[in-house]
Amino acid sequence: MVPQQIFLSYCHRDDEPYGPQNRRWVEEFENALRESIGQRIGPGRVELWRDKRRLTGNELFDAQIEQQLDRSAIFITVLSQHYLSSAYCKKEFQSFGQRRIARGDLNIDHLSRIVKVYRRAIDRADLRRFVDLPALIPEVDKTVGFELYYMDDNGIDRDVLLDPDKAGLYWQRADDIAYSIKRMLDAGPANAAAGAAAPAEPIAVYLARTSSDMKMARESLQRELEDRGYRVLPETELPEDAEAYAEAVRADLRLARLSVHLIGARYGSIPEGATKSGVVLQTEQALAQGDKSLRSVLWSPPEITPESIAESRQREFVETLEQAAFERDRAEFVRSSIEQLKSLVIERLRTQRTPAPAGAAPPEAGKTIYLVCDPIDRVDAKPLQTALTQLGFFVTRASIEGTVEELLEENKAILVSCDVVVVVWGHAREAWVRSKLRESQQAPGWGRTRAFGGKFVVIAPPDSPAKLDFGAPPGVVVMRGPESIEQLQRLLQ
């Protein structure tokens, strides 16, 4: 198979050394993306190319760039104010877009071949002016990008590379980009077998756009759903105009089996010409759908109560949801941790799955696996999570961001509700592994009312004397090597 090339377009000023450690932003992003692509896609399918020449700004658009654009299947653009000010970057952007529009394949599997990566916050109107091609502007404007910055409490965009506490966010974004690339490669003609039947259309979930304070929770839920093979809507940016906004929401809701709405303490942005926020409009549209097959889950974290909300409009909205008498099996308003929400959403979707083909063995019901791993092993544990999911199990992992109290409460909630615990022992110390097994023993004191369906320790590389001499506590099964997945499947059946 010929590798597919990815063109990384950036302004060279964004790769100049900066910060206290003289880090190069684009270079570090490229390294993170390469590693994430390797984990998601594997070797040999992708080549990542970028122009590493130190340009001065007045070079002509040369034949080498034209050649690389012709070879490239995907165009990743690092957006910043420097990028929007560069005529050279604009030419790269336009040239790739024009090529793909002429071929009629700018979009694949509901995704754009132009992948927008935001180093800084960019206004949509500024980006439209930069694109400056009538045929390309609407395609780029509606594409959802990946933000490699965060907004602080004052609403100022901050670079994740300058904040050590945001390392997890940075790597999650790189993994999100790699996942999108994998989707496009898997759906492309180069990967389709001749005469093969088209794969079944995945179940769609409308995961409503949120206010800024619920953005991280939404992204966490989106990753969980995508890892399980669900299609998450909206796949494009919603229009800025109120009428077009409402129509786009209705169109996506008609495709969905379930809609999920995360309600925070902030009211959120209001589309142009509307009197209500996008969060409220999406909720009202979902509840107004006449299709009884669409079920809606309205969720808010326990700490957000009407009394804690400063903005009156949002307080009234939350009070309305609390007091609403929703139709049975049509909508529900819940307060819980984000992990409990994930379990609820998966349970609601499980009851709505398309019937399996005749003769197909159904997945084992009631097998929710808590995959426990140290953050340093999180990437290495991903193949195990994917394999278990493909076998029909429901796999959940703890968050890697949050306060100590939030992470402890989340861990307790998962241990109370899950069926099976699988501890992955990679680079962590033996004391960490034993502490995780002790926590599973403490679960009855936190509210667990039934025995675990199994407790397992999967020993992964690197080897160590502690691993070779590890004595498992009673009731814990230890497994090693690549046969671990098959062993788990047999033991859990």
Side-chain angles (χ1 to χ4, degrees), residues 49-319:
W49 187 90
R50 72 177 172 104
D51 187 359
K52 297 184 179 181
R53 298 171 297 176
R54 295 295 166 190
L55 305 181
T56 61
N58 60 350
E59 286 82 355
L60 296 176
F61 197 69
D62 60 28
Q64 182 185 10
I65 298 298
E66 294 279 9
Q67 182 183 34
Q68 299 302 331
L69 287 170
D70 276 333
R71 291 186 56 200
S72 298
I74 297 170
F75 184 88
I76 297 179
T77 173
V78 178
L79 294 173
S80 67
Q81 291 301 333
H82 291 319
Y83 191 91
L84 298 191
S85 300
S86 169
Y88 204 95
C89 294
K90 182 174 184 175
K91 182 65 173 176
E92 287 180 352
F93 196 107
Q94 291 179 330
S95 295
F96 181 86
Q98 287 173 317
R99 282 170 166 80
R100 288 298 169 177
I101 287 177
R103 297 177 189 177
D105 65 350
L106 180 61
N107 298 305
I108 182 169
D109 191 27
H110 314 289
L111 298 173
S112 172
R113 293 181 185 270
I114 296 178
V115 179
K116 299 186 298 189
V117 175
Y118 291 91
R119 183 186 175 187
R120 293 292 189 187
I122 299 293
D123 188 86
R124 287 174 69 175
D126 290 341
L127 184 56
R128 288 194 292 265
R129 284 190 290 270
F130 168 81
V131 176
D132 197 29
L133 290 175
L136 189 57
I137 287 174
E139 295 295 330
V140 173
D141 186 51
K142 70 182 182 182
T143 303
V144 178
F146 299 89
E147 296 174 356
L148 280 172
Y149 64 87
Y150 69 98
M151 306 299 290
D152 67 13
D153 293 338
N154 297 315
I156 300 174
D157 56 330
R158 301 296 186 184
D159 195 324
V160 292
L161 281 184
L162 295 181
D163 188 340
D165 293 335
K166 297 297 182 181
L169 172 63
Y170 185 79
W171 282 95
Q172 284 177 343
R173 293 285 195 278
D175 185 58
D176 291 342
I177 297 168
Y179 178 81
S180 294
I181 292 170
K182 183 179 186 299
R183 273 183 59 186
M184 286 189 272
L185 295 179
D186 290 346
N191 194 58
E201 185 72 17
I203 293 175
V205 181
Y206 186 90
L207 183 55
R209 294 289 163 75
T210 67
S211 53
S212 59
D213 57 330
M214 288 291 104
K215 189 170 185 178
M216 295 294 292
R218 184 188 186 278
E219 290 175 351
S220 177
L221 179 54
Q222 178 175 351
R223 292 187 192 99
E224 183 81 15
L225 291 168
E226 289 177 340
D227 281 344
R228 295 175 182 274
Y230 294 103
R231 179 184 174 192
V232 178
L233 305 173
E235 292 171 318
T236 62
E237 291 284 4
L238 292 172
E240 295 170 306
D241 172 72
E243 184 174 346
Y245 185 103
E247 180 51 44
V249 171
R250 286 193 294 268
D252 277 347
L253 286 170
R254 287 193 288 268
L255 300 174
R257 296 280 190 90
L258 182 76
S259 73
V260 184
H261 307 257
L262 280 57
I263 314 299
R266 298 177 182 173
Y267 192 64
S269 60
I270 301 175
E272 296 175 1
T275 58
K276 300 177 181 178
S277 72
V279 174
V280 176
L281 291 174
Q282 291 172 96
T283 304
E284 291 180 345
Q285 291 287 347
L287 297 176
Q289 291 294 304
D291 186 356
K292 298 296 183 180
S293 66
L294 176 70
R295 183 167 185 163
S296 297
V297 175
L298 316 173
W299 173 86
S300 190
E303 64 272 15
I304 296 180
T305 62
E307 296 76 22
S308 69
I309 298 174
E311 195 170 358
S312 60
R313 294 178 299 179
Q314 184 67 0
R315 184 167 58 250
E316 292 170 4
F317 175 53
V318 172
E319 287 175 341

Side-chain angles (χ1 to χ4, degrees), residues 27-49:
E27 181 179 283
E28 296 213 17
F29 169 66
E30 179 186 5
N31 292 337
L33 184 59
R34 285 185 184 277
E35 186 167 337
S36 297
I37 288 174
Q39 292 292 332
R40 280 283 184 182
I41 301 173
R45 292 187 65 189
V46 170
E47 290 180 352
L48 188 60
W49 187 90

Side-chain angles (χ1 to χ4, degrees), residues 342-470:
K342 291 177 184 178
S343 298
L344 174 65
V345 169
I346 297 304
E347 179 63 29
R348 296 291 178 262
L349 288 167
R350 182 164 54 179
T351 61
Q352 299 188 41
R353 281 187 176 273
T354 303
E364 184 75 12
K367 285 294 190 294
T368 299
I369 296 177
Y370 183 15
L371 190 62
V372 185
C373 63
D374 189 271
I376 197 173
D377 296 316
R378 193 174 178 90
V379 173
D380 293 336
K382 193 69 178 179
L384 176 59
Q385 178 185 6
T386 301
L388 291 172
T389 301
Q390 291 173 345
L391 290 172
F393 299 110
F394 298 93
V395 184
T396 186
R397 295 193 296 179
S399 302
I400 58 175
E401 288 192 330
T403 65
V404 173
E405 292 77 12
E406 289 170 340
L407 296 177
L408 287 173
E409 287 303 314
E410 178 187 75
N411 180 57
K412 291 179 181 179
I414 302 174
L415 285 171
V416 167
S417 62
C418 71
D419 298 295
V420 175
V421 176
V422 177
V423 179
V424 178
W425 185 2
H427 294 82
R429 296 178 181 273
E430 179 182 359
W432 175 88
V433 176
R434 294 194 179 279
S435 73
K436 294 303 170 184
L437 295 175
R438 284 196 301 272
E439 288 172 2
S440 69
Q441 295 175 328
Q442 296 169 352
W446 300 330
R448 186 176 182 87
T449 58
R450 67 189 192 283
F452 284 102
K455 297 180 187 179
F456 304 89
V457 174
V458 175
I459 297 182
D463 292 334
S464 70
K467 291 179 180 178
L468 295 174
D469 194 41
F470 182 69

